[in-house]
């Protein structure tokens, strides 16, 4: 015992259930905790760490790996309350890998001050490599090559092993086979890593250096991994390598919440844990403490539609609660406005506070409408999109200066700042520097130091380059200063701030405000690292930020976020919006059963974040990517137990005579020929009024059909049949002059002219979404008559 007992053991266990206690009390040997949503796995991990410490295990021998920095911070706070002052290492996999790599960098060909490239940086480098190696191809985009390289790294396929992969032999495969090693060399030359490298380097390092592995295994005798269902092969290899001599590996996860397959996460890691560790202790946490019974049942029924899963019983002793709502709004504007108005009413009535509400969507692009509606209601809100800030142009520019100061070999950073703000260094000068550097094996900054010697470089350019080098040298003198001071110096010495200050544009003023925010972030970092936080660590923190990290639990604001960012969080009231085909499930999962199951899990994660109230909604028309079009409700909605939910639909609005498939390939059914006059496009949305809703309560619903046939939800099978249907939807003679029609892509319109006869009959339609006229052959057209009330 280390004398750090701050709570009697009984108290530590008092707030736990029997199953939770079993998991918390476990000390030695592998353990798999299969936990449903809201079953207290976070609670179990923190209590278990506290218990390990109290059983005499040295805190420094414990490693707790979380999925986000936010989760690590929260765990740290909870642990501080249970067992104060314990230096247990808690953090994300990526952070742990950075830490390990900084110590052992030379073993993988890096120096300790390596840069971490985000997706944008690594994509830039890859494009340069493809150009240099003459691997640009019309057969494969840089994105698909990047994706293939990333998949290889996540599966621990090093460049020399690429030939052994399934892709090898295909057009893409042979491009990747040449691009991958060249890209890897370029990264090493720049003393940089991409996100996947962080994991792959450490996994390879542990595999190829038995001494290091042994030493790290002995250091981290007890390893706890949260959200294990979202680990990939590289992450698995790391924890496996660290659990050979001390197999005290305990993982906690829920296969039903695995939502990162697209990032290489391998749900098999959890399904096969028992095989890998035959003597594993398995604990199941199935009681849910978060949600009402009605919420949990809806989630349970939905997830039961996944075929690839271990069945699990979810239950709760919580009250039944209100029925889950499923609401159909006429338009996306109605959806946003009415949700905001409902929240405002509940806040005004004192029923809830703004912080109790969360609005989840599938993609961030859907947030704008809700922000607008919340602003109209004067409701404070936070958009949980931590990555977005560091992707803004001005922030990336200043960060690139910092990266270059920290790692002078960082060629991507140098290319970004050498002429930002403009200082007369053009593209051809940069190309010459690049060539000079490659031929001599120098960094671009070292090449820049020799600008005067570069053949064919005009004197004027050489002088401009020399001035840039002098700037970097001057800034480098303050490398050991506080981070806020370094950022301040970059802004003033580089002339970046002055350019923005002298600009009249509103956009530039906003950029200045964002830079102020960056200075604040630097100041906060300095405050948290009073012993002199190194620039390197600041860069590391900002590079490894995740969306969820931006969520603040202590502000009284409505939260807006994607369902991915919502993982691990909980709110009293949750709205899941835009439940429509193509958005949720996402379009790219349409023909892929596995991806479709992942989309279902994503919705499951969303549903299970709600504690007391839950609403799902869709709009009949949505303006998305500039197009206002009718929608198809998500087929996941069809899978929910609608007879026990409260269904709401608009009483009025455009009545669709039948439902149809807006997923058919669009834009191929109208005639672009002919002298059609195009009015100026407007961004006006279609609006419908009055906004009245009819409601169907669950009890009534059991007796009656729940939804008007006109709004009936289509099943995936229905959709497929529809897609196969290539015949005309309505006979051409149904269409009349002045009739209102719907088109899956262009939305609502009016027939303003008809021509031709029989199969050649055409209609000219004026669309409300952009005021344009389009002519169609009615025999092929995806037009549908609508009735307006
Ligand atoms: N034994 C318990 N008694 C009462 N409340 C509990 C208990 N265990 C957990 N809770 C509460 O249940 C909620 C969910 O717990 P926690 O966040 O630890 O779950 P989780 O399993 O990590 O959830 P998820 O996987 O869905 O993110 C929290 O509000 C927590 O305080």
């Amino acid at each position: 015992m280390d004398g750090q007992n701050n709570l009697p053991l009984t108290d530590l266990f008092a707030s736990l259930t029997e199953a939770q206690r079993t998991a918390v009390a476990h000390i030695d040997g592998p353990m798999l905790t299969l936990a449903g949503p809201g079953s207290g796995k976070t609670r179990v991990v923190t209590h278990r760490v506290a218990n390990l410490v109290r059983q005499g295990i040295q805190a420094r021998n414990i490693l707790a790996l979380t999925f986000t920095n936010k989760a690590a911070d929260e765990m740290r706070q909870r642990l501080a309350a249970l067992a104060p002052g314990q230096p247990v290492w808690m953090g994300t996999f990526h952070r742990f890998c950075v830490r390990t790599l900084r110590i052992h960098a030379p073993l993988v060909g890096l120096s300790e001050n390596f840069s971490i490239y985000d997706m944008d940086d690594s994509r830039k480098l890859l494009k340069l490599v493809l150009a240099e190696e003459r691997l640009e191809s019309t057969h494969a985009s840089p994105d698909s090559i990047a994706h293939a390289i990333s998949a290889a790294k996540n599966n621990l396929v090093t460049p020399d092993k690429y030939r052994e992969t399934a892709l090898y032999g295909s057009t893409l495969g042979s491009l990747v086979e040449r691009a991958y090693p060249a890209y890897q060399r370029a990264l090493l030359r720049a003393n940089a890593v991409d996100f996947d490298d962080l994991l792959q380097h450490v996994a390879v390092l542990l595999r190829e250096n038995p001494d290091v592995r042994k030493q790290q295994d002995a250091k981290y005798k007890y390893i706890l991994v949260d959200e294990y269902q979202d680990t990939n092969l590289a992450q698995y290899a790391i924890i496996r390598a660290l659990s050979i001599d001390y197999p005290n590996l305990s993982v906690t996860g829920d296969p039903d919440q695995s939502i990162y397959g697209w990032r290489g996460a391998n749900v098999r890691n959890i399904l096969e844990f028992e095989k890998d560790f035959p003597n594993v202790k398995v604990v199941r946490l199935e009681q849910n403490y978060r949600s009402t019974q009605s919420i949990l049942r809806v989630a349970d029924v939905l997830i039961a539609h996944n075929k690839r899963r271990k069945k699990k019983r979810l239950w709760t002793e919580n009250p039944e609660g209100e029925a889950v709502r499923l609401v159909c709004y006429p338009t996306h504007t109605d959806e946003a406005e009415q949700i905001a108005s409902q929240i405002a009413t509940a806040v005004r009535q004192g029923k809830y506070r703004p912080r109790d509400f969360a609005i989840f969507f599938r993609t961030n692009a859907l947030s704008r409408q809700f922000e607008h509606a919340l602003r109209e209601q004067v409701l404070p809100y936070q958009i949980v999109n931590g990555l977005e800030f560091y992707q803004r142009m001005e922030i990336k520019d200043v960060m690139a200066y910092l990266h270059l100061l920290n790692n002078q070999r960082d060629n991507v950073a140098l290319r970004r700042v050498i002429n930002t703000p403009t200082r007369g260094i053009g593209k051809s000068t940069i190309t010459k520097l690049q060539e000079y550097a490659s031929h001599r094996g120098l960094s671009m900054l070292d090449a820049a130091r020799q600008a005067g010697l570069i053949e064919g470089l005009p004197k004027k350019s050489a002088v401009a380059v020399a001035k840039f080098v002098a700037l970097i040298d001057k800034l480098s003198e303050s490398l050991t200063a506080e981070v806020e001071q370094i950022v301040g110096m970059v802004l003033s010495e580089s002339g970046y701030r002055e350019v923005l200050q002298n600009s009249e544009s509103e956009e530039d003023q906003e950029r200045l405000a964002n830079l102020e925010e960056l200075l604040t972030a630097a100041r906060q970092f300095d405050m948290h690292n009073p012993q002199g936080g190194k620039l390197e660590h600041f860069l590391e923190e900002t590079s490894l930020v995740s969306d969820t990290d931006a969520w603040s639990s202590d502000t009284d604001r409505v939260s807006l976020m994607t369902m991915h960012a919502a993982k691990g969080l909980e709110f009293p009231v949750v709205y899941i919006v835009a439940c429509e085909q193509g958005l949720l499930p996402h379009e790219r999962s349409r023909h892929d059963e596995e991806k479709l199951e992942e989309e279902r899990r994503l919705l499951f994660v969303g549903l299970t974040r709600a504690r007391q109230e839950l609403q799902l909604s869709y709009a009949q028309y949505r303006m998305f990517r500039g197009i206002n079009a009718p929608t198809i409700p998500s087929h996941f909605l069809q899978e929910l137990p609608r007879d026990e939910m409260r269904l709401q639909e608009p009483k009025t609005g455009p009545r669709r005579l039948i439902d149809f498939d807006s997923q058919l390939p669009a834009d191929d059914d109208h005639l672009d020929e002919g002298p059609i006059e195009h009015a100026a496009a407007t961004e006006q949305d279609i609006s419908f009024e009055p906004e009245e809703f009819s409601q169907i309560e669950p009890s009534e619903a059991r007796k009656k059909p729940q939804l008007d046939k006109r709004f009936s939800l289509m099943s995936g099978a229905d959709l497929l049949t529809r897609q196969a249907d290539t015949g005309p939807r309505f006979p051409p003679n149904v269409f009349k002059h002045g009739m209102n029609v719907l088109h899956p892509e262009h939305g609502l319109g009016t027939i303003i002219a008809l021509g031709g006869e029989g199969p050649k009959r055409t209609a000219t339609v004026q669309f409300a979404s952009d005021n344009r006229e389009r002519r169609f052959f009615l025999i092929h057209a995806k037009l549908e008559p609508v009735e307006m009330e």
Side-chain angles (χ1 to χ4, degrees):
M1 298 291 263
D2 60 2
Q4 289 286 336
N5 296 357
N6 296 289
L7 273 176
L9 267 181
T10 44
D11 285 3
L12 186 61
F13 285 88
S15 64
L16 304 174
T17 59
E18 198 51 46
Q20 290 175 337
R21 240 174 255 154
T22 312
V24 169
H26 176 82
I27 310 257
D28 291 315
M31 176 167 70
L32 165 65
T33 307
L34 280 172
S39 59
K41 64 187 160 64
T42 315
R43 181 179 283 221
V44 163
V45 174
T46 19
H47 279 69
R48 181 159 178 259
V49 172
N51 189 47
L52 288 175
V53 172
R54 306 243 317 254
Q55 296 299 325
I57 287 149
Q58 297 287 323
R60 61 172 177 281
N61 290 146
I62 304 173
L63 171 67
L65 295 168
T66 57
F67 199 72
T68 60
N69 298 308
K70 185 107 218 147
D73 288 347
E74 203 183 300
M75 215 176 260
R76 220 169 276 126
Q77 279 169 20
R78 290 207 211 168
L79 181 68
L82 294 171
Q86 293 298 330
V88 173
W89 202 92
M90 295 181 159
T92 62
F93 259 104
H94 283 90
R95 221 163 248 240
F96 170 70
C97 289
V98 173
R99 179 190 156 120
T100 311
L101 261 190
R102 294 253 186 246
I103 302 168
H104 302 287
L107 291 177
V108 295
L110 291 164
S111 311
E112 182 222 335
N113 59 335
F114 57 83
S115 300
I116 303 168
Y117 282 176
D118 65 12
M119 206 166 81
D120 183 53
D121 298 332
S122 53
R123 207 54 52 93
K124 275 194 179 129
L125 184 68
L126 178 65
K127 281 184 187 160
L128 277 172
V129 168
L130 294 177
E132 238 175 50
E133 300 286 318
R134 300 192 197 293
L135 289 173
E136 288 153 316
S137 159
T138 47
H139 298 294
S141 66
D143 277 358
S144 58
I145 297 176
H147 194 77
I149 294 178
S150 170
K153 288 184 178 181
N154 285 327
N155 284 307
L156 293 181
V157 179
T158 43
D160 52 312
K161 296 270 176 0
Y162 198 75
R163 277 173 173 262
E164 293 160 24
T165 64
L167 257 186
Y168 181 68
S170 67
T171 315
L172 177 63
S174 52
L175 277 170
V176 176
E177 193 206 346
R178 288 189 291 155
Y180 183 14
Y183 170 67
Q184 238 17 48
R185 279 196 302 275
L187 279 168
L188 288 181
R189 227 177 17 240
N191 189 28
V193 296
D194 62 21
F195 287 144
D196 302 318
D197 277 343
L198 284 174
L199 303 174
Q200 168 160 282
H201 279 320
V202 173
V204 171
L205 174 84
L206 295 174
R207 187 175 68 198
E208 291 174 1
N209 297 278
D211 291 351
V212 178
R213 191 211 63 73
K214 228 176 164 31
Q215 175 225 333
Q216 295 280 308
D217 191 345
K219 182 168 178 188
Y220 302 113
K221 294 193 175 86
Y222 292 83
I223 302 180
L224 297 94
V225 183
D226 203 4
E227 308 280 5
Y228 178 65
Q229 74 279 359
D230 280 322
T231 49
N232 60 29
L233 192 71
Q235 286 164 320
Y236 182 65
I238 294 168
I239 50 173
R240 187 83 185 86
L242 297 180
S243 311
I244 294 173
D245 307 325
Y246 297 88
N248 307 315
L249 172 63
S250 134
V251 304
T252 313
D254 178 3
D256 288 335
Q257 292 188 61
S258 165
I259 53 174
Y260 281 97
W262 53 278
R263 241 163 50 178
N266 191 346
V267 73
R268 277 208 308 258
N269 281 354
I270 198 161
L271 299 175
E272 290 178 6
F273 192 86
E274 286 161 290
K275 269 194 222 151
D276 293 344
F277 292 91
N279 59 341
V280 63
K281 174 171 188 163
V282 180
V283 179
R284 285 171 197 275
L285 302 179
E286 291 178 330
Q287 180 173 1
N288 177 296
Y289 296 93
R290 176 179 294 145
S291 311
T292 61
Q293 301 207 10
S294 49
I295 292 170
L296 203 61
R297 265 199 318 273
V298 168
D300 198 27
V301 169
L302 174 82
I303 203 64
H305 283 80
N306 270 6
K307 296 196 181 78
R308 299 167 188 78
R309 71 184 284 256
K310 274 193 174 187
K311 284 210 170 52
K312 160 157 100 259
R313 187 177 150 246
L314 297 180
W315 61 282
T316 182
E317 283 176 355
N318 288 345
E320 169 67 20
E322 287 183 26
V324 174
R325 299 189 294 271
L326 170 55
V327 184
C328 163
Y329 294 100
T331 68
H332 64 284
T333 331
D334 298 311
E335 185 184 48
E337 285 175 358
Q338 291 182 37
I339 289 176
S341 142
Q342 260 179 39
I343 298 177
T345 308
V347 170
R348 252 195 325 272
Q349 290 170 344
K351 190 174 171 200
Y352 290 109
R353 299 172 55 173
R355 65 188 305 163
D356 295 332
F357 294 92
I359 301 175
F360 299 158
F361 26 74
R362 176 66 180 85
T363 116
N364 272 314
L366 289 162
S367 78
R368 198 183 52 88
Q369 205 71 40
F370 293 92
E371 290 176 56
H372 180 74
L374 291 168
R375 273 200 303 271
E376 292 281 297
Q377 294 286 346
V378 205
L379 280 167
Y381 63 85
Q382 55 174 329
I383 305 181
V384 182
N385 186 359
L387 281 171
E388 197 251 339
F389 179 74
Y390 287 99
Q391 268 147 23
R392 290 181 189 159
M393 185 188 92
E394 61 280 12
I395 303 298
K396 284 216 73 156
D397 287 343
V398 175
M399 295 303 287
Y401 272 101
L402 301 181
H403 276 291
L404 184 60
L405 294 179
N406 180 57
N407 166 23
Q408 301 214 342
R409 279 158 59 192
D410 190 337
N411 293 341
V412 171
L414 179 133
R415 294 177 82 98
R416 186 167 184 112
V417 299
I418 193 166
N419 198 37
T420 310
T422 45
R423 42 177 79 92
I425 302 176
K427 257 195 179 152
S428 74
T429 304
I430 297 174
T431 309
K432 286 205 170 73
L433 284 177
Q434 159 86 40
E435 284 166 2
Y436 187 86
S438 316
H439 288 145
R440 286 165 181 76
L442 297 174
S443 69
M444 282 180 75
L445 187 63
D446 281 338
R449 290 185 195 286
Q450 300 174 17
L453 304 175
I454 299 178
E455 220 175 289
L457 192 68
K459 189 144 189 270
K460 212 167 120 210
S461 307
V463 170
V465 169
K467 277 193 186 159
F468 171 74
V469 173
L471 167 71
I472 298 300
D473 286 344
K474 181 166 183 209
L475 290 170
S476 300
E477 285 167 16
S478 57
L479 257 190
T480 50
E482 297 224 303
V483 179
E484 183 189 2
Q485 207 182 332
I486 305 177
V487 178
M489 280 189 59
V490 166
L491 287 175
S492 50
E493 299 291 329
S494 67
Y496 202 98
R497 183 188 268 137
E498 198 181 337
V499 171
L500 293 180
Q501 275 169 343
N502 292 339
S503 161
E504 307 248 302
S505 110
E506 226 173 88
E507 219 179 358
D508 285 342
Q509 295 319 304
E510 205 172 298
R511 292 205 166 107
L512 268 178
N514 290 335
L515 291 172
E516 284 306 321
E517 230 177 283
L518 181 65
L519 279 164
T520 309
R523 192 174 315 129
Q524 278 168 353
F525 174 85
D526 291 332
M527 267 157 46
H528 289 131
N529 297 277
Q531 75 290 6
K534 281 176 77 180
L535 178 62
E536 184 177 287
H537 293 140
F538 177 69
L539 293 174
E540 191 178 305
E541 269 198 12
T542 52
S543 299
L544 298 181
V545 75
S546 79
D547 271 348
T548 318
D549 294 335
W551 182 68
S552 159
S553 52
D554 44 20
T555 52
D556 196 10
R557 291 165 187 273
V558 176
S559 297
L560 274 79
M561 68 188 89
T562 63
M563 268 169 276
H564 278 105
K567 176 166 151 160
L569 305 180
E570 61 181 27
F571 299 89
V573 189
V574 166
Y575 289 89
I576 301 183
V577 300
C579 300
E580 293 147 23
Q581 286 296 101
L583 289 172
L584 180 67
H586 194 279
E587 212 178 326
R588 67 171 172 241
S589 66
R590 196 157 27 127
H591 302 299
D592 184 329
E593 199 49 42
E594 260 183 58
K595 284 189 183 146
L596 209 60
E597 293 211 345
E598 179 156 317
E599 293 287 305
R600 198 178 277 110
R601 291 196 291 268
L602 186 59
L603 178 56
F604 176 76
V605 167
L607 301 174
T608 54
R609 304 302 96 199
R611 287 171 49 191
Q612 286 145 28
E613 287 185 41
L614 171 64
Q615 171 176 315
L616 294 112
S617 63
Y618 63 99
Q620 290 174 303
Y621 292 84
R622 179 170 307 279
M623 171 79 97
F624 190 64
R625 298 199 183 115
I627 293 167
N628 199 358
T631 66
I632 295 186
S634 166
H635 73 242
F636 293 151
L637 300 180
Q638 179 88 358
E639 299 169 357
L640 304 180
R642 282 179 293 141
D643 56 345
E644 53 183 83
M645 296 166 70
R646 187 144 58 101
L647 309 177
Q648 288 176 271
E649 64 173 41
K651 266 188 186 156
T652 55
R655 291 290 162 117
R656 287 153 63 170
L657 299 179
I658 58 159
D659 235 327
F660 60 89
D661 180 7
S662 67
Q663 290 187 321
L664 285 165
D667 216 18
D668 54 359
D669 62 344
H670 85 264
L671 304 162
D672 269 328
E673 28 98 313
I676 296 177
E677 229 180 80
H678 285 187
T682 69
E683 286 230 341
Q684 210 186 347
D685 296 356
I686 313 171
S687 67
F688 302 94
E689 36 179 349
E691 298 154 352
E692 266 182 61
F693 282 84
S694 66
Q695 293 202 3
I696 302 174
E697 295 299 328
S699 51
E700 296 168 48
R702 285 195 190 97
K703 287 176 239 141
K704 294 191 219 167
Q706 289 87 49
L707 279 180
D708 188 312
K709 187 168 179 296
R710 285 166 298 196
F711 302 108
S712 68
L713 303 168
M714 297 183 79
S715 67
D718 290 343
L719 292 171
L720 289 176
T721 348
R722 274 297 166 80
Q723 273 174 328
D725 168 21
T726 50
R729 282 157 188 77
F730 289 89
N733 60 4
V734 160
F735 295 92
K736 302 278 181 277
H737 191 272
M739 189 180 234
N740 292 311
V741 287
L742 270 178
H743 183 273
E745 198 196 342
H746 307 298
L748 193 65
T750 308
I751 298 184
I752 53 167
L754 289 160
E757 276 190 9
K760 293 216 166 139
R761 192 168 164 79
T762 61
T764 305
V765 180
Q766 181 162 36
F767 287 95
S769 58
D770 58 6
N771 224 14
R772 285 196 179 179
E773 293 169 19
R774 293 179 179 87
R775 200 144 55 96
F776 301 82
F777 275 124
L778 286 168
I779 191 100
H780 300 304
K782 286 174 249 163
L783 288 173
E784 176 187 0
V786 291
E787 214 178 69
M788 300 292 288
E789 280 188 3

